[in-house]
Amino acid sequence: MEAVSPAIRPALIWTQRTGHLDRVRLSFGSVTSPKSNRKRIRRKIELSARAEKNVSATATATQSIDYSDPDWKNKYQDEFEARFRIPHIADVLTDAVSYPSTFCLRMRTPESPDFLESYPSDDEWHGYVNTNDRVLLKVIHYSSPTSAGAECIDPGCTWVEQWVHRAGPRERIYFKPEEVKAAIVTCGGLCPGLNDVIRQIVITLEIYGVKKIVGIPFGYRGFSDRSLDEMPLSRKVVQNIHLSGGSLLGVSRGGPTVSEIVDSIQERGINMFFVLGGNGTHAGANAIHEECCKRRLKVAVVGVPKTIDNDILLMDKTFGFDTAVEEAQRAIYAAYIEAHSAYRGIGIVKLMGRSSGFIAMQASLASGQIDICLIPEVPFKLHGPQGVLNHLKYLLETKGSAVVCVAEGAGQDLLQKTNATDASGNTILGDIGVHIQLETKKFFKGIGFPADVKYIDPTYMIRACRANASDAILSTVFGQNAVHGAFAGYSGITVGLCNTHYVYVPIPEVIVQPRVIDPNSRMWHRCLTSTRQPDFI
């Protein structure tokens, strides 16, 4: 697997003194003595070195570029273009035949069942996307590696164009609709917008002329559990499912082996497979795509990125995220009212975010009521003069109350490791919210400083919500573009939103690692400006 693109890496800064790529984090907070500052800087370097292990392959790939070669930029662009070329069924089935598209918005019902001449039209329809259309992945030209959030490839921060494929309907398709059997599966946990995606996949498939559409119940598990039957899907079945949360098809983690899944796909006669899920689910979808290629099966495997945490690489955002941020406001407001109404009240809200703190950060910015935001990407200490608890004491003394927002994956180094994993292979996290609640109560009781601590965990209430307007639109377009991609003959791809445009991306490029917040980014700086919190290390 190729290294992660510099456009999607954590901020990597070229240090002239060492000639190496270092990860830099800015510090915020009160002025400290030189001695204390040196200790904190040393601590930051240690933490940065630890974090650098996660991107070592990236740094190695970047360092392998020979910048003395005058043609290095063109070579880099060629390598990037090769990596982001989207797989096509014609790569394996060289005799694959294309047909005129049966998708045309001038007429939404086929004139005849055999689709030989596409839809009739008085003139050419200009609603198709050209196969060579591209979307620019990186739009900021950083002039210096020291600029906030800078993503640089070389020491001079050279501008290098990086393009990905534009999504949408193509003029030529590689499947006859009457021969298609399409299947949809939803994996992992619940997320607002799942039903919206399912609904729109079904509706778009029917516009192409597909008659056989099924849902696989309860994730990949539905391929091996004989007690679970396929669910026939049609516009009539899915018409109103977007009005409620959850998934019509159900969700689960884990499942049978890749070989067993592909065996089942063959037995069922499925040749279009739509997979809704996060990083782990996409890794499974890519393995299914590769197994289908190995067996020379004409099956289009297309992913739709579903993660409420918004932690998929390359994506502006994934569906469910906006709803999560909006619903989190209710919990934050409740915590604020409880804290503000109590004598020396403290409200603690735990939000989702295993590896990435996007929900906690955006919810904190949106509410304007958060005093401390804790995320997985930024280490912190609870105890000590620079710790969270000491700052809470300061807030109670000066404001009379405080509200803390913490992502579920934050501060895991403060908790005892279980080494346990769930069915998807994810590490089972310790409950940082409860830990902070207990430590806060213990701290204030120990110093004889009365404090009223309230803890709110709205996780499952948020996951079960119906998608808001923003996520409903995103889910709808993702579902449409997934179908367009499958009919165009692409497989092993996922749909996404990059720089406000909808794109197709090879699955391997989005599953390298979770997308995380860069502590040197402008958005995190904005959050710190809003909360006015110091460093807690």
Side-chain angles (χ1 to χ4, degrees), residues 25-242:
R25 288 179 175 160
L26 297 187
S27 73
F28 290 81
S30 57
V31 177
T32 57
S33 66
K35 184 176 180 180
S36 172
N37 199 38
R38 281 197 297 273
K39 287 182 179 179
R40 296 177 73 188
I41 292 173
R42 195 156 50 240
R43 172 66 174 158
K44 285 175 183 290
I45 292 172
E46 291 171 0
L47 293 168
S48 295
R50 194 182 309 161
E52 191 65 27
K53 291 179 182 178
N54 297 327
V55 290
S56 57
T58 296
T60 301
T62 306
Q63 287 176 302
S64 66
I65 299 174
D66 181 8
Y67 297 112
S68 63
D69 182 349
D71 199 36
W72 75 264
K73 182 177 174 181
N74 290 331
K75 290 179 179 178
Y76 180 89
Q77 287 176 316
D78 290 344
E79 184 265 348
F80 184 90
E81 178 73 17
R83 277 173 45 213
F84 280 79
R85 177 186 176 275
I86 46 181
H88 196 277
I89 58 171
D91 298 339
V92 176
L93 305 172
T94 55
D95 58 347
V97 178
S98 67
Y99 312 93
S101 179
T102 55
F103 180 86
C104 178
L105 296 182
R106 290 185 180 278
M107 182 175 176
R108 295 168 185 79
T109 303
E111 185 180 52
S112 61
D114 52 7
F115 310 107
L116 293 178
E117 300 298 329
S118 184
Y119 289 101
S121 177
D122 293 333
D123 50 58
E124 186 178 358
W125 188 60
H126 295 290
Y128 299 114
V129 170
N130 191 288
T131 303
N132 295 318
D133 285 358
R134 300 288 189 273
V135 172
L136 190 60
L137 184 63
K138 187 175 174 182
V139 295
I140 300 177
H141 183 185
Y142 296 100
S143 60
S144 167
T146 59
S147 182
E151 299 162 347
C152 298
I153 297 170
D154 70 324
C157 231
T158 303
W159 171 258
V160 178
E161 293 182 352
Q162 298 169 350
W163 302 89
V164 290
H165 293 253
R166 184 185 177 201
R170 269 48 175 179
E171 194 168 2
R172 306 288 296 182
I173 59 176
Y174 283 78
F175 292 88
K176 288 185 176 181
E178 69 271 22
E179 297 175 356
V180 168
K181 181 178 180 181
I184 308 170
V185 66
T186 55
C187 304
L190 290 179
C191 176
L194 279 170
N195 281 335
D196 300 71
V197 178
I198 294 169
R199 176 178 183 270
Q200 204 56 222
I201 288 176
V202 172
I203 289 172
T204 310
L205 283 167
E206 287 196 350
I207 290 176
Y208 271 95
V210 177
K211 301 296 183 184
K212 292 177 286 186
I213 310 169
V214 298
I216 305 299
F218 299 107
Y220 290 134
R221 191 180 303 277
F223 283 107
S224 59
D225 191 332
R226 297 295 180 182
S227 66
L228 300 174
D229 296 325
E230 292 178 351
M231 181 184 296
L233 299 175
S234 65
R235 179 161 193 151
K236 184 176 180 180
V237 173
V238 303
Q239 183 62 41
N240 295 315
I241 64 172
H242 63 301

Side-chain angles (χ1 to χ4, degrees), residues 9 41 61 95 133 145 210 222 258 267 277 283 330 362 368 402 409 494 530:
R9 297 170 183 153
I41 292 173
D95 58 347
D133 285 358
V210 177
V258 171
E267 291 171 9
R330 303 176 190 272
Q362 298 279 39
T494 191
S530 174

